[in-house]
Amino acid sequence: VRPLLGLARLALASKELWEAWSLTEEALTHNPRDREALLAAVHICQMAAGAKGVTEFVRAFEGRYGRAAELDEALATLRALTPAA
């Protein structure tokens, strides 16, 4: 998981959003409850499609894996890091 997320960070730094998403998604297939991967996923979804993207990710994730405290933590971190509109 860590090597994939390292590559995802490099892709983000190069403004390759879809490559970062692909690598993060692959990391989540290996460990769907990985905190760093979940934070990366919600952050990328927010960058790509705003709040709607995050909501769609949460629905898809919970439909596949069920509710996860780790996802709740990632969402709380995202809210804390996102400036109020």
Side-chain angles (χ1 to χ4, degrees), residues 1-2 4-5 22-32 34 37:
V1 170
R2 293 293 163 252
L4 290 167
L5 294 174
S22 177
L23 291 160
T24 301
E25 191 173 41
E26 185 177 346
L28 285 170
T29 65
H30 294 287
N31 184 0
D34 184 86

Side-chain angles (χ1 to χ4, degrees), residues 43-66:
H43 180 68
I44 292 167
C45 287
Q46 183 180 51
M47 290 173 64
K52 182 179 178 185
V54 175
T55 299
E56 289 174 4
F57 172 76
V58 170
R59 282 190 193 131
F61 179 90
E62 289 180 345
R64 185 169 187 184
Y65 300 110

